[in-house]
Amino acid sequence: MATDESNYPARMARLTARKIEQTKAKLAALGTRDEDDYGLVLPPASFKVELPARDATGQWSGPRAWAANFRWLMENHPCYIDPDDAIAGRWMFMLSRMRLGYQLSRSNFAFDYSHLEPEQKKYDITPGIGKDAHFAPDYQIGLDLGWGGLLAKVRASRRTIAAKPVFTNDNRSQVSNGTNVNIEPKIAGSSSVLTQGRAQSAALADSAYALELLDSEEQAILGVQTWIRHLAAAADDRAMSEDDPARRANLEETARTCYAIVDAPPRTFREAVQWIAVFNMASRTYNRDGAGGQLDELLRPYYERDKAAGLLTDEDAEFLVFCLLLNDPHYYQIGGPDADGRDQTSPLSYLILEAAGKLKASCNLTIRVWDGMDRRLFRRGVEILLANRQGCPRFSGDKALVEGFMRSGYSAELARRRIAVGCNWMSLPGLEYTLNDVVKINVAKVFEVAFAETERPEDLEKNYVRHFRAAVDVTARGIDFHLAHQYLNEPELMLNLLSHGPIEKGMDVSHGGATYYNMAIDGAGLAVVADSFGAIEERVVKEKALSFAALKAAVAANFEGEEGARIRALVQGAGRYGAGGTAADRWAVRLTEILRAEVAGRTTPNGFKLIPGWFSWADTIRFGKAVGATPNGRLAGEPISHGANPLPGFRKDGALTAMAAAIASVQPGYGNTAPWQLEVDIGLANDPDAAEKVMALIEGHFALGGTLVNINVVDAKKILEAHRDPSKHPDLVVRVTGFTAYFNSLSPAFRQLVVDRLIREAV
Amino acid sequence: MDNPQGIRGVVFDIKRGVAKDGPGLRTSVFLKGCPLRCRWCHNPESQEFEPERAVTTGELCGMETTVETVMEEVRRDKVFYAASGGGLTITGGEPLAQPAFTTALAAAALAEGIGVAIDTSGFAPWSVFEAVLAAADAVARTEQDSPHAADGTVRSKLLFLYDLKCMDGARHKVLTGVDNARILDNLRRLDAAGARIWIRCPVVPGLNDSDTDLAAIRAFVAQLRHVERIDWLPYHPLGVEKYAKFGKPVPPGLP
């Protein structure tokens, strides 16, 4: 008998309401944050974090220290239990941000890279050195093995490696002792095993490291297993005090589920969902990792088995997925081709989509659009996007992604398996290490450097290319530096477990453990630079309405004074990137050719492949602060343009087709993306063909070469109201870039950017 | 015609990615000049045939251009027309008041396989409608071997968005400045010629929205054979502030 407590819509409503309360509490405690919601909740006020492996400066590095701290966090982690929720647990801490002096834009790094910093600063490069995660796990490994199986795998690998003759016991403790970073090798001169002698000591070091890493993996797993037991016990305890029989039954089932997956691989749909949630929460706790997987395919065997056995209804499955998506906005893909090119859409794909549709919270679900797809899934996705207005789902374009990744030298089969699991990025689950979305070159800054030293407009492009090349060069050296040291700084203890190689080889995924290394470099600020080049071509070169010297003087003076204002109006009136057929449009394509040639056309000095993209994440404000006025009329310090998007006002009519065509024309084309970020108030509420039209827009963009559409269909009135008074719409969720967030959690400056991007009276 | 692509017309706006004014996603080309003066007109800057400047901002409205220049812009969204069943909408003003330009532009688009909608008040000599239909048929004939026309669908790619504003001739004249006899006659003949037609009726409270008015329109349309749909377009006061901008008096009697 269905009581209210087993009534899914009512439970969903209560869970959503609690999520909004939690978001308010986070906002009050943490302030506004221009990033993902992440699904984390605040720990109890009385909870004290006492990490065991911290040095006097608040730092730690190396596998052992990370493992010790992580295990402590897991074993002491408060157990969040909600009697309405089918999943136990919420995550509360981000270990990687607990090192003293952490900045979102610059990670702590135990190794000195000051030799790279002057040039990084010159070009405003976000080098990604010390950045973690941002590649995809293969959940299948974990679902097949369970935590006990993973533990056995780690121990077996340790035995194999320890048995190899190169190992001597003396070396073991020399790689890192956890709390003391000083014994780590510095870039120059060190007494570490890594630089003693050469070949043999390197082999010894590798072996010693392997053992330390595997020991640390073991610690991490043991920590997670303890936490699962605690969750089970907490659910049991809560069940004892629960009067409502349906809630009590749910809590008891939650406890049973948790106990079942402490060791063994999940056997039922519910256990699989709880397993994935536990991995996600643990991996978030470790280092914010948010990459998901092909959710419909991962869960399909459990779904089919349980349904056939009469253990699961579609309503149950939908609710369980709802709880998983509520638990954490990890990035999942549904639909799209399998490795052999067959469509993966299944009844479960629809259930996942419907669950996402019912989730009135941050959610990152991507539908892969391709020729052989089930169009009903695509259509349903668009209908939910239009009806919910929460930026979910979003859509990736298979054709250009597959062709692009093949251009990077991979098979069609691998290209199809490279799925949307991040903000702007695709990754091969369990096979690839990428530094996706954390390595950025601010091309507006590169342009500024080139512009400042240019005397004649005909030299500007040449100078830009030269400086861009230098920027890529120092970025590539930074990537090498990261790949050479990150394993000692911050090994990927959680993601290693779900990767093919690190455990087997005893090598961190950042240091030889992965199968493929495809290092991402994204340009940021495309439209600012394209519009600047375009304005110079139109106003200075062609029309001669302005001398290059006068423009340089006005830019240097931040367009101040009457003459500055006149020049600013003149350059702002030039045709923009995105309008279609303008000089700036041609420059955007040219800048993309330069990006391709300088990034995809080379490797790092150590031979690692580089893949270009255009994407600024949520960093347009920070990047803008580093750049003075630009010849497109942008004032000093103003934000740079977003990703591959044209600047707001690129066309009087704000035409979506123009924008779609422009962004398709600047695709880097090697398997990484230049997403189309779209905020649109579609006045199509009564148009029965609205879904068809939005589908055509998305498909047209993909047909032209587009890779990813991060789309918000919004209610302009509501968003403007929420901008004036954020408390008015605490439930308003927007897709900020690749991620979605509660609008009221964003800083006022960032909210302004979202409002500015909004295209009204379109479509 | 020596060079139809070079025919000149006065255009005051081109909007891309438009999801109204015809099926699918469209590019709307706005031609300047209209023989009507509808009280509810929301594009008063479209009424005069010559380019004019806004009295407030000085911005120029209307520019002489060629069919080929317009087609460059129209072609940009071909992929979206194909995906959505959309195309080019020639609107205004009254596009049939620049008959040579509209005919050549429609023919150029049809020749490239792009669907065309002509958004008209119907107030034009019948010979202009004939010319447009003949141009479409000419495209079909000359391009019988081309992939665009091979399926014989050129006519089916030509759609008339045809306004019906008021069935009472005397009131029509008061509301729009012209009698509706020619409009109704053209519509009957267009229907008899087998053209695809969507009827569009602006519904302006207090002016033409009585039950009798709407029933009369329905009754008239019921006699026609090729009308695919009727759209009732609610009045919106977008145009009011534009009257001041272009130094024109706001017509009386608006809601």
Side-chain angles (χ1 to χ4, degrees):
Chain A
M1 287 293 290
T3 68
D4 179 57
E5 299 312 324
S6 61
N7 174 335
Y8 290 139
R11 283 170 74 180
M12 288 178 181
R14 285 196 296 272
L15 286 164
T16 305
R18 271 197 284 282
K19 170 87 181 166
I20 289 172
E21 288 311 309
Q22 286 158 359
T23 306
K24 279 186 193 161
K26 268 158 70 173
L27 184 61
L30 309 171
T32 58
R33 301 171 312 150
D34 297 335
E35 54 178 329
D36 199 303
D37 172 76
Y38 298 130
L40 94 165
V41 300
L42 296 172
S46 59
F47 188 83
K48 276 212 161 39
V49 176
E50 290 165 353
L51 299 179
R54 245 181 161 149
D55 70 10
T57 67
Q59 305 293 335
W60 69 88
S61 60
R64 201 181 305 276
W66 278 94
N69 287 336
F70 179 64
R71 184 167 180 178
W72 187 93
L73 261 186
M74 284 284 94
E75 295 194 333
N76 293 281
H77 201 289
C79 290
Y80 178 99
I81 301 291
D82 183 328
D84 282 317
D85 203 326
I87 291 176
R90 286 284 191 283
W91 70 285
M92 300 175 186
F93 312 100
M94 220 182 280
L95 184 56
S96 55
R97 290 190 180 180
M98 289 179 170
R99 290 203 278 186
L100 208 69
Y102 173 88
Q103 295 168 44
L104 185 55
S105 59
R106 194 184 190 288
S107 286
N108 301 56
F109 204 61
F111 301 90
D112 178 18
Y113 60 93
S114 57
H115 59 297
L116 299 172
E117 281 177 315
E119 273 199 297
Q120 288 172 348
K121 191 157 190 292
K122 179 177 177 186
Y123 298 122
D124 194 28
I125 286 162
T126 308
I129 295 174
K131 282 285 181 183
D132 45 25
H134 293 91
F135 59 98
D138 183 356
Y139 287 83
Q140 199 62 55
I141 297 173
L143 292 171
D144 288 345
L145 294 177
W147 294 103
L150 287 169
L151 190 60
K153 180 179 169 183
V154 166
R155 286 173 174 163
S157 179
R158 192 194 184 287
R159 278 194 301 277
T160 309
I161 290 169
K164 281 187 187 162
V166 68
F167 172 68
T168 65
N169 218 19
D170 303 338
N171 299 107
R172 188 161 20 143
S173 61
Q174 292 187 22
V175 177
S176 80
N177 71 351
T179 55
N180 185 352
V181 299
N182 293 327
I183 70 140
E184 308 292 0
K186 294 288 176 197
I187 185 70
S190 165
S191 61
S192 153
V193 287
L194 280 186
T195 48
Q196 283 168 7
R198 266 326 299 167
Q200 204 208 339
S201 59
L204 283 173
D206 287 348
S207 179
Y209 181 84
L211 297 183
E212 181 182 332
L213 179 71
L214 293 169
D215 286 346
S216 303
E217 297 288 1
E218 181 175 347
Q219 295 299 309
I221 295 171
L222 293 171
V224 173
Q225 286 183 307
T226 302
W227 184 48
I228 304 172
R229 278 191 205 95
H230 289 172
L231 286 171
D236 241 352
D237 282 354
R238 187 73 176 72
M240 301 284 281
S241 61
E242 178 61 57
D243 295 332
D244 180 89
R247 286 176 165 220
R248 184 170 178 150
N250 176 53
L251 289 162
E252 284 170 351
E253 184 60 17
T254 303
R256 196 205 57 72
T257 303
C258 288
Y259 280 127
I261 62 162
V262 170
D263 225 47
R267 292 158 306 170
T268 65
F269 191 82
R270 183 163 182 164
E271 287 176 13
V273 166
Q274 178 75 57
W275 199 96
I276 292 173
V278 164
F279 181 85
N280 289 349
M281 290 186 280
S283 194
R284 286 283 202 198
T285 305
Y286 186 71
N287 66 5
R288 190 175 64 118
D289 156 48
Q294 183 80 33
L295 192 59
D296 45 4
E297 277 303 285
L298 288 168
L299 289 175
R300 190 168 55 84
Y302 305 94
Y303 169 76
E304 288 175 351
R305 215 181 301 145
D306 284 8
K307 266 203 90 175
L311 298 172
L312 186 80
T313 66
D314 281 351
E315 291 70 32
D316 299 334
E318 186 187 278
F319 181 69
L320 282 161
V321 172
F322 175 94
C323 291
L324 178 68
L325 299 177
L326 179 78
N327 186 270
D328 188 318
H330 264 55
Y331 288 86
Y332 298 109
Q333 178 174 296
I334 57 171
D338 67 8
D340 299 323
R342 280 184 298 261
D343 191 43
Q344 301 183 95
T345 306
S346 68
L348 188 54
S349 313
Y350 285 95
L351 287 181
I352 292 168
L353 182 57
E354 294 302 330
K358 288 176 180 163
L359 183 71
K360 302 286 187 280
S362 186
C363 183
N364 296 313
L365 195 66
T366 307
I367 295 178
R368 183 130 169 167
V369 175
W370 74 299
D371 292 345
M373 77 182 307
D374 178 346
R375 291 187 64 79
R376 287 178 311 140
L377 186 75
F378 181 27
R379 167 179 264 282
R380 186 65 194 132
V382 170
E383 285 170 358
I384 287 174
L385 180 76
L386 287 166
N388 280 15
R389 311 199 159 199
Q390 299 205 305
C392 183
R394 57 186 197 146
F395 304 90
S396 65
D398 180 75
K399 184 168 165 282
L401 288 169
V402 168
E403 282 173 7
F405 199 52
M406 290 177 73
R407 205 172 286 126
S408 284
Y410 292 96
S411 68
E413 186 190 325
L414 276 178
R416 290 189 201 106
R417 286 164 67 189
R418 201 167 190 256
I419 58 173
V421 286
C423 222
N424 65 320
W425 49 274
M426 313 290 138
S427 193
L428 280 165
L431 291 174
E432 196 183 26
Y433 186 76
T434 55
L435 280 181
N436 276 323
D437 198 19
V438 292
V439 180
K440 310 284 175 196
I441 298 176
N442 182 352
V443 295
K445 187 69 185 177
V446 175
F447 177 88
E448 181 181 54
V449 173
F451 183 68
E453 69 171 39
T454 300
E455 297 304 328
R456 303 178 312 161
E458 56 269 37
D459 296 331
L460 186 56
E461 180 184 349
K462 192 178 62 190
N463 289 339
Y464 173 83
V465 171
R466 184 161 47 78
H467 284 291
F468 185 70
R469 184 172 299 152
V472 174
D473 192 59
V474 70
T475 307
R477 282 186 285 137
I479 288 171
D480 277 347
F481 192 83
H482 171 88
L483 291 171
H485 296 92
Q486 174 69 355
Y487 74 118
L488 296 168
N489 173 57
E490 179 191 334
E492 294 285 352
L493 292 185
M494 290 308 295
L495 286 167
N496 279 343
L497 292 171
L498 300 195
S499 295
H500 300 274
I503 304 304
E504 294 87 335
K505 294 186 254 186
M507 292 168 136
D508 188 58
V509 68
S510 72
H511 196 68
T515 310
Y516 305 109
Y517 288 82
N518 293 308
M519 310 311 296
I521 295 184
D522 293 329
L526 171 66
V528 167
V529 180
D531 285 354
S532 293
F533 269 114
I536 292 167
E537 180 179 325
E538 268 189 45
R539 299 302 197 224
V540 177
V541 179
K542 289 218 174 107
E543 296 166 12
K544 303 199 188 324
L546 181 65
S547 77
F548 193 61
L551 176 62
K552 280 192 73 170
V555 167
N558 198 22
F559 298 107
E560 273 168 17
E562 221 170 279
E563 178 63 1
R566 187 189 71 83
I567 290 175
R568 184 165 183 239
L570 202 58
V571 290
Q572 283 183 317
R576 306 282 193 87
Y577 159 57
T582 63
D585 275 307
R586 289 188 295 278
W587 276 106
V589 172
R590 175 71 192 121
L591 292 165
T592 304
E593 288 166 4
I594 295 167
L595 175 79
R596 280 194 208 116
E598 299 301 328
V599 176
R602 54 167 292 172
T603 61
T604 69
N606 289 350
F608 291 101
K609 189 186 286 294
L610 298 172
I611 302 190
W614 285 120
F615 194 59
S616 51
W617 195 63
D619 270 339
T620 54
I621 294 175
R622 178 170 70 83
F623 287 135
K625 285 184 180 149
V627 186
T630 39
N632 64 329
R634 177 189 149 281
L635 297 176
E638 284 186 353
I640 61 159
S641 52
H642 182 96
N645 273 37
L647 281 158
F650 64 98
R651 238 185 108 92
K652 204 166 52 149
D653 58 8
L656 300 188
T657 52
M659 198 177 182
I663 291 168
S665 76
V666 298
Q667 291 299 316
Y670 285 84
N672 285 3
T673 68
W676 177 15
Q677 172 70 39
L678 176 60
E679 277 76 25
V680 61
D681 176 31
I682 294 194
L684 281 175
N686 301 319
D687 185 340
D689 300 330
E692 291 290 343
K693 285 169 183 169
V694 172
M695 285 167 76
L697 199 59
I698 293 169
E699 282 187 294
H701 177 61
F702 290 154
L704 291 171
T707 43
L708 181 65
V709 182
N710 288 325
I711 179 170
N712 277 301
V713 176
V714 298
D715 178 340
K717 203 168 138 240
K718 190 170 175 183
I719 220 164
L720 291 171
E721 255 176 35
H723 186 35
R724 277 193 297 273
D725 179 4
S727 66
K728 214 163 179 181
H729 296 288
D731 57 341
L732 180 61
V733 172
V734 294
R735 182 163 296 284
V736 175
T737 78
F739 64 80
T740 56
Y742 285 98
F743 192 67
N744 67 358
S745 297
L746 302 171
S747 67
F750 207 89
R751 290 203 305 264
Q752 184 66 49
L753 289 188
V754 174
V755 167
D756 288 347
R757 290 196 311 230
L758 177 61
I759 292 177
R760 274 165 260 182
E761 207 205 326
V763 191
Chain B
M1 235 168 278
D2 290 342
N3 175 19
Q5 302 279 326
I7 289 178
R8 304 180 81 80
V10 180
V11 168
F12 73 92
D13 202 3
I14 298 180
K15 284 192 169 132
R16 287 168 60 188
V18 177
K20 44 198 177 201
D21 303 335
L25 296 169
R26 317 194 60 83
T27 296
S28 293
V29 176
F30 293 80
L31 272 56
K32 202 156 169 357
C34 184
L36 276 62
R37 289 294 178 271
C38 303
R39 292 221 186 149
W40 51 81
C41 180
H42 61 263
N43 281 335
E45 75 277 25
S46 75
Q47 293 171 348
E48 300 302 324
F49 284 83
E50 297 304 315
E52 58 191 305
R53 282 192 187 280
V55 294
T56 49
T57 62
E59 107 196 40
L60 184 67
C61 174
M63 211 170 76
E64 203 178 276
T65 183
T66 65
V67 168
E68 178 49 28
T69 308
V70 172
M71 280 304 295
E72 275 176 27
E73 190 76 358
V74 172
R75 277 183 206 114
R76 294 189 204 285
D77 283 344
K78 268 179 115 162
V79 65
F80 299 101
Y81 311 147
S84 67
L88 163 68
T89 300
I90 311 177
T91 181
E94 169 51 59
L96 297 181
Q98 294 190 44
F101 185 77
T102 293
T103 306
L105 180 59
L110 289 169
E112 295 186 24
I114 298 171
V116 174
I118 295 179
D119 181 14
T120 180
S121 66
F123 192 80
W126 170 246
S127 61
V128 176
F129 285 93
E130 271 185 327
V132 173
L133 291 172
D137 292 341
V139 168
R141 271 197 308 281
T142 56
E143 305 223 341
Q144 259 163 13
D145 298 328
S146 90
H148 306 314
D151 55 358
T153 56
V154 173
R155 267 287 189 109
S156 76
K157 287 193 165 169
L158 177 63
L159 171 70
F160 288 88
L161 305 173
Y162 205 108
D163 286 5
L164 280 185
K165 288 156 182 154
C166 182
M167 298 307 294
D168 179 313
R171 277 193 27 251
H172 193 281
K173 189 159 170 54
V174 172
L175 295 175
T176 71
V178 303
D179 185 82
N180 65 3
R182 172 189 273 182
I183 293 171
L184 300 179
D185 187 50
N186 283 340
L187 181 54
R188 281 192 207 95
R189 293 169 82 166
L190 197 59
D191 185 65
R196 291 183 59 202
I197 302 164
W198 289 11
I199 298 294
R200 310 202 324 151
C201 309
V203 183
V204 188
L207 294 186
N208 69 348
D209 70 332
S210 73
D211 291 346
T212 328
D213 281 328
L214 304 186
I217 289 176
R218 278 195 202 93
F220 184 83
V221 171
Q223 302 165 16
L224 305 173
R225 293 169 53 202
H226 294 103
V227 171
E228 296 173 7
R229 57 190 258 183
I230 304 184
D231 291 329
W232 307 96
L233 310 176
Y235 170 76
H236 54 87
L238 271 183
V240 172
E241 59 198 48
K242 287 206 232 166
Y243 282 90
K245 188 172 168 189
F246 285 88
K248 298 172 202 245
V250 178
L254 287 173

